[in-house]
Amino acid sequence: MLLLLLLPLYVLLCLLAATPGASSNIDARKVRGASVTSGDDAGYRQHRLQQELAIASELSSSNPSESLSSVEAVLREEPRLSQAHYQRGLVLWKLGRNGEAVAALDNAIEIDPRNAEFLDERGVAAGMMGDDIHAEQFFRRAVAADAD
C-alpha cells in the first residue's frame, strides 16, 4: 500500500533525473497542486494525472474508497479530464452509489461523446438499472463510435 502511495513521487524523481540540465532541487512548480506555466510543465502535469488515475484504477478492487479519493483529487485539479469522470463512475458503482456513478459516466460522455468505452459502460449501467431502452441506445452509440 505504501508502495502505491510513493509511486508518483518515484516517477517524478525519475523524470527529473532524466531531464537534461535538471537541478537536484525539486522546483516548486513540480510539486502537486502548484501552478503550471510552461508547455513542458503542462505535459508533465498531464502525465502525472494519468499516472494517478492508473494507480486509482489498481486500487479500485482492493480499496474503492481510497481509489475514489484519488480520482476526486485528479478531478479537482483537472475537471475536464473525461477518463477521470469515467474512473469515478466505475468506482462509485463498486461502492453501490449507482445514481452518482451514472452521473459521473454521463459527465465523461459529455466531455468525450464518441468514446466507445464510456458509451458501452453507460449502456451496461442502464441495463443493470432496468432501463433497457437507454441501454440499447448507448450500445448502438458505442458500436457506431467504435466503427469510426
Side-chain angles (χ1 to χ4, degrees):
M1 174 78 97
L2 181 59
L3 179 62
L4 290 175
L5 296 174
L6 294 177
L7 185 60
L9 179 59
Y10 175 76
V11 170
L12 169 66
L13 293 175
C14 288
L15 288 172
L16 289 174
T19 304
S23 119
S24 61
N25 296 326
I26 296 178
D27 187 276
R29 293 172 297 146
K30 303 274 189 216
V31 177
R32 183 176 185 177
S35 65
V36 176
T37 56
S38 76
D40 287 342
D41 286 343
Y44 162 78
R45 180 173 173 256
Q46 192 69 12
H47 176 75
R48 181 179 51 76
L49 292 173
Q50 291 297 333
Q51 289 288 341
E52 289 181 26
L53 282 178
I55 292 169
S57 179
E58 289 295 320
L59 284 173
S60 67
S61 295
S62 62
N63 192 341
S65 295
E66 187 172 337
S67 176
L68 181 60
S69 295
S70 296
V71 171
E72 288 178 341
V74 169
L75 282 169
R76 279 191 297 279
E77 197 167 331
E78 187 60 58
R80 298 286 302 163
L81 190 59
S82 62
Q83 189 66 38
H85 286 282
Y86 173 74
Q87 183 66 33
R88 183 173 182 266
L90 297 180
V91 174
L92 286 166
W93 192 271
K94 286 181 183 178
L95 291 169
R97 295 164 57 181
N98 298 353
E100 292 174 83
V102 165
L105 292 172
D106 286 343
N107 287 339
I109 292 168
E110 181 180 323
I111 296 166
D112 189 359
R114 304 284 305 152
N115 187 306
E117 184 179 14
F118 299 171
L119 293 163
D120 184 67
E121 196 64 42
R122 183 59 177 85
V124 170
M128 293 183 78
M129 295 176 78
D131 187 355
D132 294 335
I133 293 172
H134 283 109
E136 182 180 349
Q137 290 172 351
F138 280 109
F139 291 140
R140 287 182 188 277
R141 287 176 59 192
V143 170
D146 200 34
D148 290 342

